[in-house]
Amino acid sequence: APLSKQRPIQKTPNSIDQNSEKPRNTIMAEVKLFGCWYSPFSRRVEMALKLKGVEYEYIEEDLSNKSPLLLKYNPIHKKVPVLLHNSKPIAESSVIIEYIDETWEGPSILPKDPYERAMARFWVKFIDEKCSVAMWKAFAIPGEEGEKAKEEAAELLKFVEEEIKGKKFFGGDNIGLVDISANFIGYWFGILQEIAGLELLTKEKYPNLCKWIDGYINDNFVKDNLPAKDKMTQVLKPMAQPGYSGYKPKV
Amino acid sequence: MADEVILLDVDISLFGMRVRVALAEKGIEYEHKIEDLVNKSQLLLEMNPVHKKIPVLIHNKKPICESLIIVQYIDEMWKDKSPLLPSDPYQRAQARFWADFIDKMVYESGIKIWTTKGEEKETGKKEFIENLKLLEGVLGDKHYFGGEEFGYLDVALITFYSWFYAYEAIGEFSIEQHCPKLIEWAKRCMERESVSKSLADPHEIYDFVLILRKKYGIDQ
């Protein structure tokens, strides 16, 4: 049976917008999150909820044995995360995060300006659909296809490097949508690199991006929302082995 | 200062058509620059260096890329006329979810129909119909996906309608047979000038697809 855990509300950390003086959430609403502790998509939704100070019930899913409730609430993709708000389900992390930003008071996750919003959405889409896919393949797929993926990832990361240049966070002074959504680059990939002995995302080749990563994983708010490295390594290590037949994210 | 709006586009792109529909719904005047994708312009490469693709909207010299992102930008920038996204956050989330579904699932299965052969093509057809049926379910008895008003999800899907003729001819099947309500919806949308003037001619699209199939030896 899936575990139910009450996650505590985080105190206001230094990376979020201190100028936001809106009151804490007192809406007596039922909020549940179906997630997976090692999924970057699940963790980014949790970050968004915590930024807004939303109390929620967390339900841990075993991705190799999905619960009937998850399949009921996300019949199309059958994936985590799924947010349930007053019994209404929302799936797809980018959709959920925008919903959270629009529904609850608190620090803004997306920028207010329409052009900046479009840029933030663009980078999230690029990072998720192109960059991270190539980076995962570089880790998980052996042989020629893996080598090609490494080359592709190296090229794509150059765009991200350019984008973060001169900025503390993608969101400016405070973490925003792109920072939250780039957690795969920010944390997960570092662990994958170590496991596979990859030298793809290095300080020499991507000094600005690596500087962002340092700031990101050491940020008081962000680091409370990252799964422990040793546990992550335990989960990710087998995925690189040939003949692994357990759960593996689809690429 | 008057707004300068430029759209880099190609006639038959169903992504480009979405932007045209959105601009027309809002009554925005713009310069329509048709690109030669074999010989991309310096402007396109500068405005979309990451993907080098159309459509690109250039608003007062600032580029916005990716059709659904552009449509949301248009809706947020010109918010006083013809709102496209619903006002309720949950309805907005549903519209975004299904638009994402269209891009990932409907588009991919459609591509399979005209770019593959044999079993892969049949799988593409099957998935395409299944995906359209799901969308038909989302539409239900509503006038539009947006309810009474034409909205974001209508914009996201209607441009595929211009490609139906090509899919049907190459796939040898009838979409109307499987999804009659969806075709009714599409015809309703086509009664809107913003849609009928923005969608490319289905026969032109079919001709283009035939040329590509011949070029890549898919029709052999």
Side-chain angles (χ1 to χ4, degrees):
Chain A
L3 301 165
S4 272
K5 281 187 220 165
Q6 189 73 38
R7 295 285 179 95
I9 301 174
Q10 301 298 314
K11 58 186 187 299
T12 308
N14 52 16
S15 66
I16 61 174
D17 187 359
Q18 298 283 14
N19 291 320
S20 172
E21 282 171 15
K22 307 227 173 90
R24 282 281 184 173
N25 292 289
T26 52
I27 303 166
M28 290 305 290
E30 190 187 64
V31 185
K32 292 186 187 183
L33 179 67
F34 293 82
C36 168
W37 68 269
Y38 61 82
S39 157
F41 300 99
S42 177
R43 287 284 179 164
R44 57 179 87 162
V45 170
E46 288 201 86
M47 265 203 257
L49 287 167
K50 287 177 186 173
L51 261 178
K52 299 286 197 182
V54 179
E55 286 190 44
Y56 62 98
E57 184 193 334
Y58 177 78
I59 298 147
E60 182 68 42
E61 280 288 327
D62 174 359
L63 296 182
S64 61
N65 187 21
K66 292 170 183 176
S67 75
L69 273 183
L70 176 65
L71 300 177
K72 172 184 164 185
Y73 291 130
N74 190 3
I76 304 294
H77 301 299
K78 306 176 176 55
K79 286 181 178 178
V80 294
V82 176
L83 188 78
L84 205 64
H85 184 205
N86 293 331
S87 306
K88 295 193 287 193
I90 302 150
E92 292 297 300
S93 63
S94 55
V95 175
I96 299 172
I97 293 171
E98 293 220 22
Y99 176 80
I100 290 168
D101 201 32
E102 290 167 9
T103 301
W104 284 283
E105 307 274 5
S108 284
I109 297 174
L110 274 94
K112 297 275 190 235
D113 171 69
Y115 187 75
E116 296 305 318
R117 289 162 75 82
M119 290 302 103
R121 287 171 178 144
F122 174 88
W123 286 106
V124 169
K125 189 176 160 94
F126 172 71
I127 287 169
D128 272 348
E129 291 179 12
K130 294 275 186 280
C131 231
S132 301
V133 171
M135 290 163 82
W136 174 262
K137 279 184 178 167
F139 161 77
I141 297 179
E144 204 186 305
E145 204 186 332
E147 286 307 308
K148 269 199 182 135
K150 278 180 201 149
E151 282 169 25
E152 194 190 343
E155 282 306 304
L156 297 176
L157 280 168
K158 286 181 188 167
F159 290 114
V160 188
E161 166 76 7
E162 192 57 38
E163 179 58 22
I164 193 63
K165 218 184 246 185
K167 292 197 279 201
K168 185 177 174 194
F169 296 112
F170 289 97
D173 290 329
N174 306 114
I175 63 166
L177 179 73
V178 183
D179 302 278
I180 291 171
S181 307
N183 58 357
F184 177 80
I185 295 181
Y187 183 66
W188 269 255
F189 191 69
I191 302 173
L192 294 176
Q193 279 212 128
E194 266 184 45
I195 293 170
L198 282 174
E199 298 246 320
L200 176 56
L201 182 46
T202 62
K203 277 199 173 81
E204 292 72 41
K205 292 185 224 161
Y206 307 97
N208 296 290
L209 190 50
C210 287
K211 188 161 165 235
W212 170 80
I213 291 172
D214 270 337
Y216 187 68
I217 60 178
N218 288 303
D219 176 82
N220 287 329
F221 174 73
V222 174
K223 69 183 180 199
D224 280 346
N225 289 289
L226 299 175
K229 190 174 166 189
D230 53 352
K231 291 201 177 115
M232 275 310 307
T233 307
Q234 267 185 321
V235 166
L236 292 173
K237 210 165 185 174
M239 291 186 190
Q241 307 303 333
Y244 170 74
S245 60
Y247 169 76
K248 195 168 175 171
K250 282 200 194 116
V251 175
Chain B
M1 189 187 82
D3 271 323
E4 183 195 63
V5 183
I6 301 170
L7 174 63
L8 305 182
D9 195 3
V10 301
D11 198 40
I12 55 142
S13 162
L14 60 82
F15 301 108
M17 286 178 226
R18 286 170 169 170
V19 181
R20 283 176 243 163
V21 173
L23 288 166
E25 282 286 318
K26 300 283 187 176
I28 299 163
E29 280 185 32
Y30 64 99
E31 189 189 336
H32 196 201
K33 280 204 164 126
I34 303 295
E35 283 283 332
D36 173 2
L37 294 184
V38 173
N39 190 19
K40 292 174 183 177
S41 73
Q42 196 52 38
L43 184 63
L44 173 57
L45 299 176
E46 269 173 32
M47 294 287 112
N48 191 358
V50 176
H51 300 294
K52 305 174 179 59
K53 285 184 177 177
I54 57 92
V56 180
L57 190 78
I58 311 172
H59 183 204
N60 295 331
K61 311 264 190 276
K62 296 197 286 191
I64 303 111
C65 310
E66 300 293 319
S67 64
L68 292 179
I69 293 176
I70 299 172
V71 172
Q72 288 184 85
Y73 173 80
I74 290 169
D75 198 38
E76 290 172 12
M77 209 50 217
W78 286 276
K79 55 184 189 287
D80 296 328
K81 186 178 177 194
S82 306
L84 294 173
L85 273 130
S87 49
D88 170 68
Y90 185 73
Q91 293 307 322
R92 259 208 296 285
Q94 291 311 299
R96 287 183 175 130
F97 173 86
W98 287 109
D100 173 73
F101 171 83
I102 290 166
D103 269 1
K104 293 202 173 102
M105 315 282 268
V106 177
Y107 180 69
E108 292 302 323
S109 49
I111 291 253
K112 273 190 201 167
I113 296 173
W114 70 269
T115 63
T116 68
K117 301 185 266 197
E119 209 182 301
E120 209 182 335
K121 177 175 164 181
E122 289 306 306
T123 305
K125 262 165 69 176
K126 189 164 153 275
E127 284 170 0
F128 188 73
I129 294 292
E130 271 167 21
N131 293 331
L132 287 185
K133 279 203 166 118
L134 277 168
L135 286 162
E136 222 181 21
V138 174
L139 178 67
D141 290 319
K142 299 198 294 285
H143 204 61
Y144 297 115
F145 281 93
E148 284 305 304
E149 302 298 327
F150 184 80
Y152 179 72
L153 196 46
D154 301 278
V155 176
L157 186 60
I158 191 55
T159 62
F160 280 81
Y161 184 61
S162 64
W163 278 71
F164 279 7
Y165 178 73
Y167 293 144
E168 287 173 317
I170 293 164
E172 291 169 290
F173 69 121
S174 156
I175 294 171
E176 185 157 18
Q177 193 179 33
H178 298 275
C179 307
K181 286 206 151 161
L182 203 65
I183 299 298
E184 273 171 32
W185 158 81
K187 289 181 178 163
R188 268 199 294 280
C189 291
M190 288 295 284
E191 287 169 15
R192 299 177 79 84
E193 207 180 319
S194 64
V195 175
S196 59
K197 290 218 162 138
S198 301
L199 263 52
D201 184 310
H203 292 269
E204 200 184 305
I205 292 171
Y206 179 54
D207 286 343
F208 163 80
V209 166
L210 285 179
I211 292 170
L212 269 192
R213 278 167 62 82
K214 193 167 184 175
K215 182 174 172 186
Y216 292 109
I218 305 167
D219 58 352
Q220 257 98 65

